[in-house]
Amino acid sequence: MNQPRDLSRREALKTMSAGAAILALGSMQVRAATAPVAANALNPPPKAPPPQPFRLPQLNFAYDALEPYIDARTMEIHHTKHHQAYIDSANRALAEYSQLQKKTAEELLQGINEIPEPLRTTLRNHVGGHANHSLFWDILAPRPHKALGPNLGPAIERAFGSNEAFKIRLVDAAMKRFGSGWVWLSMNRGGKLELHSTPNQDSPYMTGFTPIVGIDLWEHAYYLNYQNRRLDYLEAIWNVLNWAEAEARFDKAAAAAAG
Ligand code: MN
């Protein structure tokens, strides 16, 4: 935790000539090495921050890696501003609830109806937003395997007739979602695939479903590049859906449903 010292050093460097700065830097290092107690007394450590159960996950690819389908600026704002804001609000809401802090996002959403208002609505929106976006980043890939996996492929054919029919129904559900929300391929408690859409940041976990593929339908996911053309965005994002990840999620959900 030497950030305060680094900051004050940077401040000092800004206001000094280069020569004076080098000299001052040398003396600061000596003082820090020989008299750490005095340095700490001048800069007492800040009070411990409140617990932060949720953190922004790293992406598995660069912000520009999904171009031309999803532009770098949209990805960066979506990840660092929108997703971060859901995390900050969720952490703030959970600050005084140490028992709830121990639960995962999925567990909180599965048990959302047992949480009293107004906390329930806050967690529904912000823990929902965190869980939905965490899945979204994983389900995207720059050069994805286009073919469906050996387990999910036949399951989609059984449920929807064909992969083409599945895509048509998914795009239809996405276009019919009025306002903001998500379109999902989920597994229900009985192990069956369900194609459905949720408003706002409502999560499939809230109704006992396990999401396998999710597409963000909020305008912040596409407005910079596609403006009001949601259909063009859906066609584009189809090129960067990570079917290997979908297969892994399907297998995990199927094992849980069977067990
Ligand atoms: Mn979003």
Side-chain angles (χ1 to χ4, degrees), residues 34-195:
T34 55
V37 176
N40 282 346
L42 287 171
N43 292 312
K47 257 173 58 181
Q52 304 280 302
F54 300 121
R55 282 173 187 278
L56 190 66
Q58 287 207 319
L59 301 192
N60 296 317
F61 45 81
Y63 289 129
D64 64 359
L66 303 182
E67 291 193 351
Y69 305 112
I70 310 288
D71 64 283
R73 182 126 175 84
T74 294
M75 285 300 296
E76 183 170 5
I77 295 172
H78 202 171
H79 182 239
T80 63
K81 305 292 184 198
H82 291 280
H83 190 173
Q84 185 69 59
Y86 295 119
I87 290 170
D88 292 345
S89 295
N91 286 342
R92 221 172 12 248
L94 289 168
E96 290 161 32
Y97 301 93
S98 56
Q99 287 307 109
L100 295 181
Q101 285 166 18
K102 292 173 193 156
K103 293 180 184 282
T104 64
E106 289 76 11
E107 288 166 347
L108 285 169
L109 293 164
Q110 283 160 347
I112 196 77
N113 289 325
E114 288 128 53
I115 294 171
E117 292 288 12
L119 184 61
R120 185 195 306 171
T121 296
T122 305
L123 298 186
R124 178 176 178 170
N125 289 337
H126 298 284
V127 176
H130 172 49
N132 293 345
H133 286 87
S134 297
L135 179 146
F136 189 53
W137 311 133
D138 283 346
I139 211 69
L140 298 174
R143 283 169 300 279
H145 218 56
K146 299 268 175 173
L148 292 176
N151 298 325
L152 180 58
I156 281 181
E157 273 181 33
R158 278 196 301 276
F160 307 105
S162 68
N163 190 24
E164 291 72 29
F166 160 65
K167 183 185 170 186
I168 289 167
R169 284 200 32 199
L170 183 141
V171 168
D172 185 54
M175 293 303 291
K176 283 180 176 150
R177 165 54 53 198
F178 181 75
S180 297
W182 291 74
V183 67
W184 303 99
L185 176 68
S186 294
M187 187 177 288
N188 66 23
R189 284 197 186 91
K192 290 266 190 303
L193 288 177
E194 300 254 7
L195 205 158

